[in-house]
């Protein structure tokens, strides 16, 4: 199963990137073929329909291809003002915006339809970014994703990783593993070939 993992932060010391790395490692150990995507590697401007009318940016097309090629995703979202960050909204808006006249990409949901998505969050705070998830999930439904019922919010993220970057607590590892397994199981059932 091809699993895409990405964090909604480009910050160098991002807790959500650390969580994405730990998640990718757990998923690989479970046999998944994991792509850990760094959104900072893509040159994606703030969405603007005038700009888009002059041509969808090349890195947006790359993102569309990559997301489309992965039946299973896990998103690690930061929490900004009790919601998810603009980076995630902008990325998901771009990949779900149709490329007019293109035989494949005029289908707005080609990158997102039917994806099984696990939602994780991490925050230095005591709620672990939980409130960001309740905003992100309806957006994913709108993109025609299947959102895994199991989720996990990593609280007190500054104390949650060991020196090697792994999740320090067994409870946190088990919670992430449970999301990974649910996402992979559901994606296999929805994509039997
Ligand atoms: C935050 N942060 C934050 N944290 C939280 O738990 N709940 C919140 O509502 C907010 N709001 C918020 C707004 C803004 C504008 C910023 C910049 C930050 C703190 C946030 O969780 C913290 O910066 C994390 O470290 C961001 O995630 P990464 O970059 O570490 O993955």
């Amino acid at each position: 199963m091809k699993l895409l993992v990405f964090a909604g932060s480009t910050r160098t010391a991002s807790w959500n990137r650390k969580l994405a790395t730990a998640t990718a490692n757990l998923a690989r150990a479970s046999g998944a073929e994991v792509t850990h995507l760094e959104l900072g590697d893509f040159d994606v401007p703030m969405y603007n329909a005038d700009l888009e009318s002059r041509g969808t940016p090349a890195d947006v097309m790359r993102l569309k291809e990559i997301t489309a090629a992965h039946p299973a995703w896990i998103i690690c979202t930061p929490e900004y003002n009790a919601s998810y960050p603009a980076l995630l909204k902008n990325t998901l808006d771009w990949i779900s915006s149709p490329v007019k006249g293109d035989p494949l990409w005029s289908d707005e949901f080609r990158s997102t339809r039917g994806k099984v998505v696990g939602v994780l969050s991490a925050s230095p705070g005591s709620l672990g970014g939980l409130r960001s998830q309740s905003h992100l999930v309806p957006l994913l439904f709108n993109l025609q994703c299947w959102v895994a019922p199991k989720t996990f919010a990593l609280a007190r993220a500054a104390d949650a990783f060991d020196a090697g970057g792994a999740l320090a607590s067994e409870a946190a590892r088990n919670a992430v593993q449970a999301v990974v397994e649910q996402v992979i199981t559901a994606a296999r059932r929805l994509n039997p070939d």
Side-chain angles (χ1 to χ4, degrees):
M1 176 49 60
K2 288 178 68 141
L3 174 70
L4 184 69
V5 180
F6 59 97
S9 174
T10 54
R11 198 171 72 85
T12 310
S14 162
W15 303 119
N16 284 280
R17 179 188 292 109
K18 281 190 166 57
L19 181 58
T21 302
T23 301
N25 288 338
L26 287 169
R28 282 191 191 103
S30 299
E33 185 187 335
V34 180
T35 305
H36 182 177
L37 193 73
E38 286 287 351
L39 293 182
D41 291 343
F42 295 80
D43 185 12
V44 176
M46 189 58 73
Y47 180 81
N48 177 316
D50 295 337
L51 187 133
E52 184 180 40
S53 70
R54 299 195 285 275
T56 300
D59 274 7
V60 172
M61 295 309 300
R62 275 176 67 212
L63 275 172
K64 282 176 178 280
E65 299 273 1
I66 294 167
T67 49
H70 290 77
W73 303 358
I74 291 183
I75 303 176
C76 301
T77 179
E79 181 171 279
Y80 284 2
N81 291 312
S83 188
Y84 58 88
L87 172 68
L88 276 182
K89 182 77 166 70
N90 193 50
T91 302
L92 294 169
D93 286 347
W94 265 117
I95 67 168
S96 61
S97 187
V99 182
K100 290 190 181 64
D102 186 292
L104 293 180
W105 299 107
S106 54
D107 173 0
E108 66 203 297
F109 297 124
R110 185 175 164 78
S111 300
T112 60
R113 184 188 294 109
K115 304 303 178 186
V116 178
V117 185
V119 176
L120 306 178
S121 58
S123 158
S126 58
L127 297 180
L130 186 64
R131 294 171 301 172
S132 66
Q133 298 185 12
S134 63
H135 287 206
L136 182 57
V137 167
L139 169 59
L140 294 168
F141 286 151
N142 199 65
L143 299 178
Q144 302 190 17
C145 298
W146 300 92
V147 178
K150 282 191 182 168
T151 64
F152 176 61
L154 182 69
R156 311 252 177 254
D159 303 320
F161 297 94
D162 66 22
L167 286 162
S169 100
E170 189 182 2
R173 286 195 301 277
N174 288 344
V176 171
Q177 184 72 35
V179 175
V180 167
E181 281 171 13
Q182 198 170 60
V183 167
I184 290 173
T185 301
R188 282 205 180 108
R189 290 193 182 178
L190 283 168
N191 300 272
D193 304 326

